[in-house]
Amino acid sequence: MSDTAPEAPPGIVKCLVWDLDNTLWHGTLLEDENVVLSEANRELIIGLDARGILQSVCSRNDHDIAWARLKALGVADYFVVPEIGWGPKSDAVRRITDRLDFAPGTIAFIDDQPAERAEVAFHLPEVRCYAAQEAATLLSLPEFSPRSVTVDSRQRRTMYQAGFRRTDERERFAGSSEDFLRSLDMVMRIGRATDDELSRVEELTLRTSQMNATGVHYPDEVLRALLACPSHEVLVTTLTDRFGPHGAVGVVLLEKHGRAWHLKLLATSCRVVAFGAGTIILNWLVDQAALAGVHLLADFRATDRNRVMEIAYRFAGLDEQSCDCRDEVSGSSGEDVLLLHLTAERREPPTTVRLIAPDLADRAPPRAGLPD
């Protein structure tokens, strides 16, 4: 049992914060510079990382000496935003939580000292605390067992580490925001979803709220059915730059009709709003529709959080204009969903990112009888 047992069913832990002395390693570093890491704890570190659970350090030690030992043991790279110093551990755990922008209830803390666990639990009651001897059981606990491990989960640590380097660079950059974006050497790839990516697509439709055009959740079985349907496109957007991967950052669900394409969902991760990912994807889609000689129709359901997405749609030119092409999708959207319309015209490629994307258009001439 943990010192602070959560109510069942427990939420998934997003970050485990390790004490070092007699917890992560055997021994006390200030007394023995050759403290050792057990194979069991090494396997635990690797196992948590493979599940997409971040790990950090909260220890009373000299930072440089402790970090050098973690490097010598070959595990330093597994830990993000470490807090190694001499203040209260609750303060250090709080700084880790704030830096990661996680809710305290998604943080776990492991320490061999009951007094340290009690101090953290008192000041941060939502943080789950575990005794050092419980380390061997963590991988079997439900709170450390995500329902699915997505492609992005397996590289979550590297994405966060890249994000911190990116932020540090932005703070030092003297030019404009657009110049900074160009300096990142970003590459955006839009591609048809694979089986391995479906869990991440489902996750994006479920968790993304600010940049989700409808707020509709598409479960795995629905996505698989759409993948098998010739008239549908299930597209995933990934983004990388010179600092590393952003992972999968966008999803497009598109149904093709004879005179119009129906954009059922556009959702992007909130962490790439500053890079203009949603606008880039939308402009590419409009350009593809223009090449195919069809109009673009898009579902939009206003929520209390997706105002930014509504602005992106309106700025792109989507509106309530009447058009005969609407008849092809009439009644396919819910009562509270607006079906927005755009007469597609060619769009210029983005200037801040290199875009690699499939050709959705058949390049046929505009269809006869399609109203302008």
PDB file of all heavy atoms in Angstrom, residues 194-196 198-199 219-229 234:
ATOM      1  N   THR A 194      -1.778   4.853 -39.778  1.00  0.00           N
ATOM      2  CA  THR A 194      -1.472   3.429 -39.744  1.00  0.00           C
ATOM      3  C   THR A 194      -2.129   2.809 -38.511  1.00  0.00           C
ATOM      4  O   THR A 194      -2.596   3.514 -37.614  1.00  0.00           O
ATOM      5  CB  THR A 194       0.044   3.201 -39.666  1.00  0.00           C
ATOM      6  OG1 THR A 194       0.535   3.734 -38.427  1.00  0.00           O
ATOM      7  CG2 THR A 194       0.749   3.909 -40.824  1.00  0.00           C
ATOM      8  N   ASP A 195      -2.137   1.493 -38.456  1.00  0.00           N
ATOM      9  CA  ASP A 195      -2.704   0.812 -37.292  1.00  0.00           C
ATOM     10  C   ASP A 195      -2.006   1.240 -36.009  1.00  0.00           C
ATOM     11  O   ASP A 195      -2.646   1.423 -34.965  1.00  0.00           O
ATOM     12  CB  ASP A 195      -2.592  -0.705 -37.453  1.00  0.00           C
ATOM     13  CG  ASP A 195      -3.618  -1.268 -38.429  1.00  0.00           C
ATOM     14  OD1 ASP A 195      -4.568  -0.533 -38.757  1.00  0.00           O
ATOM     15  OD2 ASP A 195      -3.451  -2.414 -38.859  1.00  0.00           O
ATOM     16  N   ASP A 196      -0.678   1.403 -36.062  1.00  0.00           N
ATOM     17  CA  ASP A 196       0.074   1.780 -34.869  1.00  0.00           C
ATOM     18  C   ASP A 196      -0.301   3.173 -34.373  1.00  0.00           C
ATOM     19  O   ASP A 196      -0.153   3.473 -33.186  1.00  0.00           O
ATOM     20  CB  ASP A 196       1.579   1.744 -35.151  1.00  0.00           C
ATOM     21  CG  ASP A 196       2.115   0.323 -35.278  1.00  0.00           C
ATOM     22  OD1 ASP A 196       1.403  -0.603 -34.840  1.00  0.00           O
ATOM     23  OD2 ASP A 196       3.219   0.153 -35.813  1.00  0.00           O
ATOM     24  N   LEU A 198      -3.354   4.599 -34.592  1.00  0.00           N
ATOM     25  CA  LEU A 198      -4.772   4.794 -34.283  1.00  0.00           C
ATOM     26  C   LEU A 198      -5.019   5.148 -32.823  1.00  0.00           C
ATOM     27  O   LEU A 198      -5.901   5.952 -32.512  1.00  0.00           O
ATOM     28  CB  LEU A 198      -5.582   3.558 -34.663  1.00  0.00           C
ATOM     29  CG  LEU A 198      -5.954   3.416 -36.137  1.00  0.00           C
ATOM     30  CD1 LEU A 198      -6.914   2.265 -36.328  1.00  0.00           C
ATOM     31  CD2 LEU A 198      -6.570   4.708 -36.680  1.00  0.00           C
ATOM     32  N   SER A 199      -4.264   4.554 -31.916  1.00  0.00           N
ATOM     33  CA  SER A 199      -4.475   4.861 -30.499  1.00  0.00           C
ATOM     34  C   SER A 199      -4.160   6.315 -30.208  1.00  0.00           C
ATOM     35  O   SER A 199      -4.830   6.958 -29.391  1.00  0.00           O
ATOM     36  CB  SER A 199      -3.634   3.945 -29.613  1.00  0.00           C
ATOM     37  OG  SER A 199      -2.258   4.041 -29.945  1.00  0.00           O
ATOM     38  N   PRO A 219     -13.828   6.661 -31.009  1.00  0.00           N
ATOM     39  CA  PRO A 219     -13.154   5.498 -30.436  1.00  0.00           C
ATOM     40  C   PRO A 219     -12.462   4.658 -31.496  1.00  0.00           C
ATOM     41  O   PRO A 219     -12.693   4.811 -32.697  1.00  0.00           O
ATOM     42  CB  PRO A 219     -14.297   4.720 -29.760  1.00  0.00           C
ATOM     43  CG  PRO A 219     -15.523   5.152 -30.489  1.00  0.00           C
ATOM     44  CD  PRO A 219     -15.289   6.567 -30.915  1.00  0.00           C
ATOM     45  N   ASP A 220     -11.623   3.748 -31.019  1.00  0.00           N
ATOM     46  CA  ASP A 220     -10.778   2.949 -31.901  1.00  0.00           C
ATOM     47  C   ASP A 220     -11.585   2.205 -32.956  1.00  0.00           C
ATOM     48  O   ASP A 220     -11.216   2.189 -34.135  1.00  0.00           O
ATOM     49  CB  ASP A 220      -9.962   1.961 -31.061  1.00  0.00           C
ATOM     50  CG  ASP A 220      -9.019   1.117 -31.894  1.00  0.00           C
ATOM     51  OD1 ASP A 220      -7.923   1.593 -32.217  1.00  0.00           O
ATOM     52  OD2 ASP A 220      -9.391  -0.021 -32.232  1.00  0.00           O
ATOM     53  N   GLU A 221     -12.707   1.587 -32.555  1.00  0.00           N
ATOM     54  CA  GLU A 221     -13.457   0.783 -33.515  1.00  0.00           C
ATOM     55  C   GLU A 221     -14.065   1.634 -34.625  1.00  0.00           C
ATOM     56  O   GLU A 221     -14.168   1.199 -35.780  1.00  0.00           O
ATOM     57  CB  GLU A 221     -14.552  -0.021 -32.803  1.00  0.00           C
ATOM     58  CG  GLU A 221     -15.586   0.797 -32.063  1.00  0.00           C
ATOM     59  CD  GLU A 221     -15.194   1.088 -30.622  1.00  0.00           C
ATOM     60  OE1 GLU A 221     -13.998   0.958 -30.279  1.00  0.00           O
ATOM     61  OE2 GLU A 221     -16.097   1.438 -29.832  1.00  0.00           O
ATOM     62  N   VAL A 222     -14.454   2.877 -34.305  1.00  0.00           N
ATOM     63  CA  VAL A 222     -14.992   3.779 -35.319  1.00  0.00           C
ATOM     64  C   VAL A 222     -13.881   4.200 -36.278  1.00  0.00           C
ATOM     65  O   VAL A 222     -14.078   4.241 -37.503  1.00  0.00           O
ATOM     66  CB  VAL A 222     -15.648   5.012 -34.663  1.00  0.00           C
ATOM     67  CG1 VAL A 222     -16.055   6.035 -35.724  1.00  0.00           C
ATOM     68  CG2 VAL A 222     -16.860   4.586 -33.845  1.00  0.00           C
ATOM     69  N   LEU A 223     -12.713   4.507 -35.745  1.00  0.00           N
ATOM     70  CA  LEU A 223     -11.590   4.907 -36.588  1.00  0.00           C
ATOM     71  C   LEU A 223     -11.187   3.784 -37.534  1.00  0.00           C
ATOM     72  O   LEU A 223     -10.878   4.019 -38.713  1.00  0.00           O
ATOM     73  CB  LEU A 223     -10.406   5.320 -35.717  1.00  0.00           C
ATOM     74  CG  LEU A 223     -10.585   6.619 -34.914  1.00  0.00           C
ATOM     75  CD1 LEU A 223      -9.455   6.773 -33.904  1.00  0.00           C
ATOM     76  CD2 LEU A 223     -10.638   7.827 -35.831  1.00  0.00           C
ATOM     77  N   ARG A 224     -11.199   2.558 -37.049  1.00  0.00           N
ATOM     78  CA  ARG A 224     -10.839   1.431 -37.902  1.00  0.00           C
ATOM     79  C   ARG A 224     -11.858   1.255 -39.030  1.00  0.00           C
ATOM     80  O   ARG A 224     -11.501   0.911 -40.162  1.00  0.00           O
ATOM     81  CB  ARG A 224     -10.717   0.159 -37.068  1.00  0.00           C
ATOM     82  CG  ARG A 224      -9.508   0.175 -36.159  1.00  0.00           C
ATOM     83  CD  ARG A 224      -9.275  -1.132 -35.440  1.00  0.00           C
ATOM     84  NE  ARG A 224      -8.147  -0.999 -34.536  1.00  0.00           N
ATOM     85  CZ  ARG A 224      -6.877  -1.082 -34.893  1.00  0.00           C
ATOM     86  NH1 ARG A 224      -6.572  -1.328 -36.165  1.00  0.00           N
ATOM     87  NH2 ARG A 224      -5.905  -0.932 -34.014  1.00  0.00           N
ATOM     88  N   ALA A 225     -13.125   1.500 -38.716  1.00  0.00           N
ATOM     89  CA  ALA A 225     -14.149   1.409 -39.758  1.00  0.00           C
ATOM     90  C   ALA A 225     -13.947   2.486 -40.812  1.00  0.00           C
ATOM     91  O   ALA A 225     -14.113   2.241 -42.018  1.00  0.00           O
ATOM     92  CB  ALA A 225     -15.535   1.519 -39.132  1.00  0.00           C
ATOM     93  N   LEU A 226     -13.572   3.689 -40.379  1.00  0.00           N
ATOM     94  CA  LEU A 226     -13.323   4.773 -41.329  1.00  0.00           C
ATOM     95  C   LEU A 226     -12.104   4.472 -42.194  1.00  0.00           C
ATOM     96  O   LEU A 226     -12.080   4.786 -43.389  1.00  0.00           O
ATOM     97  CB  LEU A 226     -13.123   6.094 -40.581  1.00  0.00           C
ATOM     98  CG  LEU A 226     -14.343   6.657 -39.850  1.00  0.00           C
ATOM     99  CD1 LEU A 226     -13.974   7.934 -39.109  1.00  0.00           C
ATOM    100  CD2 LEU A 226     -15.493   6.923 -40.819  1.00  0.00           C
ATOM    101  N   LEU A 227     -11.079   3.871 -41.585  1.00  0.00           N
ATOM    102  CA  LEU A 227      -9.888   3.510 -42.353  1.00  0.00           C
ATOM    103  C   LEU A 227     -10.229   2.548 -43.483  1.00  0.00           C
ATOM    104  O   LEU A 227      -9.637   2.602 -44.569  1.00  0.00           O
ATOM    105  CB  LEU A 227      -8.850   2.854 -41.437  1.00  0.00           C
ATOM    106  CG  LEU A 227      -7.845   3.750 -40.719  1.00  0.00           C
ATOM    107  CD1 LEU A 227      -6.896   2.892 -39.895  1.00  0.00           C
ATOM    108  CD2 LEU A 227      -7.053   4.607 -41.690  1.00  0.00           C
ATOM    109  N   ALA A 228     -11.193   1.688 -43.241  1.00  0.00           N
ATOM    110  CA  ALA A 228     -11.555   0.675 -44.235  1.00  0.00           C
ATOM    111  C   ALA A 228     -12.527   1.197 -45.281  1.00  0.00           C
ATOM    112  O   ALA A 228     -12.809   0.506 -46.263  1.00  0.00           O
ATOM    113  CB  ALA A 228     -12.168  -0.537 -43.524  1.00  0.00           C
ATOM    114  N   CYS A 229     -13.026   2.427 -45.085  1.00  0.00           N
ATOM    115  CA  CYS A 229     -14.010   2.988 -46.002  1.00  0.00           C
ATOM    116  C   CYS A 229     -13.308   3.787 -47.105  1.00  0.00           C
ATOM    117  O   CYS A 229     -12.602   4.765 -46.816  1.00  0.00           O
ATOM    118  CB  CYS A 229     -14.985   3.875 -45.239  1.00  0.00           C
ATOM    119  SG  CYS A 229     -16.266   4.619 -46.276  1.00  0.00           S
ATOM    120  N   VAL A 234      -8.384   9.218 -43.055  1.00  0.00           N
ATOM    121  CA  VAL A 234      -7.987   9.426 -41.663  1.00  0.00           C
ATOM    122  C   VAL A 234      -6.519   9.803 -41.692  1.00  0.00           C
ATOM    123  O   VAL A 234      -5.651   8.971 -41.980  1.00  0.00           O
ATOM    124  CB  VAL A 234      -8.208   8.159 -40.811  1.00  0.00           C
ATOM    125  CG1 VAL A 234      -7.813   8.424 -39.355  1.00  0.00           C
ATOM    126  CG2 VAL A 234      -9.667   7.709 -40.887  1.00  0.00           C
TER     127      VAL A 234
END
